[in-house]
């Protein structure tokens, strides 16, 4: 028997599937212990008694099914579980039926891959304490400019954005955006590249950024969308992304700030720091002291000056700033910088900045992410 209550993993998985449709089995480690979640999913594929703790009712059914092969293997809600979902959460049930063609899925590999990218991004946000329940979020339905104000981080999926655009859905035909993460005072376009090289010079990404900036009155310093979060499997894809940047196809052509977040436990903590109110100011104060913070005109981007040394923080994983720092080092032969990063980022930074390390033009200082979380969230 499986008991469905809000604190149970089975309840979490049912709710998640109601919002994303399907989830890749190879990524269940994003939800927690891979062993625990795989055992639970296997158990949920077996027909059995399911008890809804809220109502006390019991139903004999199969909750989920698994289909596909290898990396495309996917978990979906079983048809016999739909009455259970309806009793468990009526709004989630209605959302599922409206957005997944009343429980009909495409077998097209590209469509499944798209669903999996969205599901992984949602899992990362959920674990980082972001509200991912689109059925209960403020609806985007106004035809004119609409102000979004939130007290806690929320994630709007690309489906909600398309619903908002109605007849202008063609604006997302050639974009890989999977959602919009809105935090108090900040906003990010969400992308999940996995292991693939993300191309930022296409017109689709610029159109989506432009439209979101002007169709929604975003709660950002200038009201515009200038930042994105790029999820990826590991730092190899971050390095390849930077190395692929050229004058004709600059990495920061669309977004001025692209924060790379690896899809693992460390990345979940890092994502959480990016949703904290005034996180930039707090991190700089923690690392360098408020009195050393950079102010006024800057010939290149840096965060502080301590004892005459320029200090640069990469705790936010901003690849665009790192690329611009490298350009500044190339054009200013006497420039020396101290870079602060997480230990997990250090090998990536060393390789990207290799030409300057031998000349003692950069030094690298590391800090553990748990220290940053304790400072930001008073843990």
């Amino acid at each position: 028997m499986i008991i469905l209550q809000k604190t149970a993993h089975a309840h979490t998985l049912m709710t998640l599937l109601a919002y994303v449709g399907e989830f890749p089995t190879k990524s269940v480690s994003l939800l927690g212990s891979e062993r625990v979640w795989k055992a639970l999913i296997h158990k949920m594929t077996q027909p059995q008694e399911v008890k809804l703790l809220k109502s006390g009712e019991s139903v004999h059914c199969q909750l989920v099914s698994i289909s596909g092969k290898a990396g495309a293997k996917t978990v979906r809600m079983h048809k016999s579980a739909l009455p259970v979902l309806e009793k468990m959460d009526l709004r989630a049930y209605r959302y599922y039926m409206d957005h997944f063609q009343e429980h009909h899925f495409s077998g097209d590999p590209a469509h499944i891959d798209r669903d999996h990218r969205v599901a992984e991004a949602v899992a990362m946000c959920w674990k980082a304490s972001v509200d991912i329940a689109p059925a209960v979020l403020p609806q985007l339905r106004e035809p004119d400019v609409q102000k979004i104000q939130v007290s806690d981080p929320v994630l709007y999926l690309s489906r909600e954005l398309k619903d908002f655009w109605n007849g202008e859905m063609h604006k997302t035909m050639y974009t890989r955006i999977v959602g919009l993460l809105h935090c108090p005072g900040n906003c990010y376009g969400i992308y999940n590249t996995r292991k693939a090289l993300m191309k930022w010079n296409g017109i689709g990404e610029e159109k989506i950024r432009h439209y979101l900036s002007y169709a929604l009155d975003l709660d950002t310093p200038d009201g515009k969308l200038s930042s994105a979060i790029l999820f990826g499997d590991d730092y190899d894809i971050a390095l390849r992304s930077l190395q692929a940047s050229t004058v004709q196809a600059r990495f920061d052509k669309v977004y001025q700030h692209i924060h790379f977040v690896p899809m693992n436990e460390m990345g979940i903590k890092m994502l959480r720091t990016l949703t904290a109110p005034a996180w930039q100011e707090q991190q700089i104060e923690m690392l360098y002291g408020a009195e050393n913070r950079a102010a006024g005109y800057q010939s290149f981007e840096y965060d502080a000056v301590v004892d005459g040394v320029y200090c640069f923080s990469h705790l936010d994983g901003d690849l665009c700033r790192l690329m611009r720092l490298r350009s500044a080092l190339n054009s200013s032969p006497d420039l020396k910088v101290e870079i602060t990063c997480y230990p997990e980022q250090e090998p990536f930074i060393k390789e990207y900045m290799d030409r300057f390390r031998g000349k003692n033009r950069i030094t690298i200082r590391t800090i553990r992410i748990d220290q940053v979380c304790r400072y930001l969230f008073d843990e």
Side-chain angles (χ1 to χ4, degrees):
M1 173 184 284
I2 290 180
I3 299 177
L4 288 178
Q5 56 181 331
K6 283 193 174 182
T7 56
H9 283 357
H11 188 286
T12 297
L13 184 61
M14 291 285 288
T15 304
L16 191 63
L17 290 176
Y19 295 140
V20 301
E22 53 189 326
F23 196 89
T25 58
K26 70 175 186 178
S27 301
V28 294
S29 60
L30 295 179
L31 303 175
S33 168
E34 184 174 7
R35 179 185 61 81
V36 170
W37 279 96
K38 282 190 173 181
L40 174 65
I41 290 171
H42 175 73
K43 183 178 181 181
M44 293 174 71
T45 61
Q46 310 303 311
Q48 62 193 290
E49 288 296 315
V50 178
K51 184 176 181 179
L52 290 140
L53 196 63
K54 184 178 179 181
S55 64
E57 297 179 70
S58 292
V59 181
H60 190 273
C61 69
Q62 177 181 337
L63 292 175
V64 302
S65 61
I66 299 176
S67 60
K69 297 180 180 179
K73 191 175 289 186
T74 190
V75 182
R76 293 172 179 164
M77 200 174 305
H78 194 269
K79 187 175 182 179
S80 64
L82 295 180
V84 175
L85 177 63
E86 186 176 14
K87 290 180 173 62
M88 186 184 89
D89 189 332
L90 182 58
R91 286 183 294 188
Y93 168 78
R94 287 173 176 168
Y95 181 92
Y96 179 82
M97 297 300 281
D98 288 344
H99 289 83
F100 299 102
Q101 295 77 47
E102 298 189 348
H103 193 69
H104 290 91
F105 291 88
S106 170
D108 177 45
H111 192 103
I112 294 172
D113 180 73
R114 169 77 181 181
D115 282 351
H116 285 180
R117 290 174 189 267
V118 173
E120 289 167 345
V122 169
M124 289 286 294
C125 290
W126 170 66
K127 291 292 287 184
S129 302
V130 174
D131 193 340
I132 61 164
V136 299
L137 292 179
Q139 295 299 294
L140 305 179
R141 289 289 183 271
E142 297 296 328
D144 300 315
V145 173
Q146 179 174 339
K147 180 72 174 179
I148 299 180
Q149 289 182 312
V150 296
S151 56
D152 296 301
V154 299
L155 176 67
Y156 284 96
L157 301 183
S158 53
R159 295 186 191 92
E160 279 65 66
L161 303 179
K162 289 181 179 181
D163 287 346
F164 170 61
W165 293 325
N166 292 325
E168 300 192 62
M169 287 175 62
H170 65 279
K171 292 181 185 294
T172 62
M173 286 179 63
Y174 302 105
T175 175
R176 293 172 70 180
I177 194 168
V178 299
L180 179 71
L181 175 57
H182 209 297
C183 316
N186 216 336
C187 194
Y188 307 93
I190 300 294
Y191 294 82
N192 180 6
T193 190
R194 288 183 154 184
K195 286 186 179 294
L197 191 63
M198 181 76 189
K199 295 181 180 179
W200 296 96
N201 58 333
I203 193 171
E205 308 310 332
E206 176 56 35
K207 287 178 69 176
I208 188 74
R209 189 201 65 79
H210 178 83
Y211 192 76
L212 286 173
S213 293
Y214 289 93
L216 300 174
D217 187 4
L218 302 175
D219 185 18
T220 59
D222 59 358
K224 304 296 186 292
L225 182 63
S226 59
S227 300
I229 289 174
L230 177 64
F231 293 126
D233 283 0
D234 50 46
Y235 279 99
D236 177 66
I237 187 61
L239 180 64
R240 289 197 289 122
S241 298
L242 285 173
Q243 290 172 338
S245 180
T246 63
V247 175
Q248 293 77 20
R250 279 185 61 90
F251 193 66
D252 57 353
K253 181 179 180 181
V254 179
Y255 295 98
Q256 286 297 299
H257 305 280
I258 299 176
H259 306 271
F260 180 80
V261 177
M263 289 194 291
N264 54 33
E265 185 177 353
M266 176 265 183
I268 291 168
K269 293 177 182 179
M270 185 176 169
L271 177 60
R272 190 177 173 217
T273 67
L274 294 176
T275 65
W279 58 265
Q280 299 102 322
E281 292 81 0
Q282 291 193 71
Q283 286 188 3
I284 293 172
E285 182 177 330
M286 176 192 68
L287 294 172
Y288 311 116
E291 69 280 4
N292 295 314
R293 185 176 178 180
Y297 173 76
Q298 296 177 234
S299 58
F300 72 99
E301 292 180 72
Y302 60 92
D303 297 304
V305 179
V306 181
D307 297 328
V309 177
Y310 291 106
C311 301
F312 180 96
S313 171
H314 189 64
L315 300 186
D316 60 358
D318 191 340
L319 300 183
C320 294
R321 287 188 79 224
L322 193 65
M323 180 184 67
R324 292 192 288 267
L325 174 63
R326 181 173 169 173
S327 296
L329 287 165
N330 274 327
S331 58
S332 303
D334 298 326
L335 182 61
K336 295 184 179 181
V337 180
E338 177 192 87
I339 300 175
T340 303
C341 66
Y342 298 121
E344 296 85 351
Q345 297 170 325
E346 186 176 9
F348 151 69
I349 292 177
K350 283 182 175 178
E351 186 165 356
Y352 185 60
M353 294 290 193
D354 184 63
R355 71 170 67 176
F356 307 110
R357 289 172 57 230
K359 300 175 183 178
N360 296 319
R361 296 186 58 197
I362 67 165
T363 56
I364 298 176
R365 163 193 175 197
T366 62
I367 182 172
R368 295 201 169 276
I369 195 166
D370 289 340
Q371 293 177 253
V372 178
C373 289
R374 281 195 295 270
Y375 185 88
L376 291 179
F377 306 108
D378 195 25
E379 296 177 340

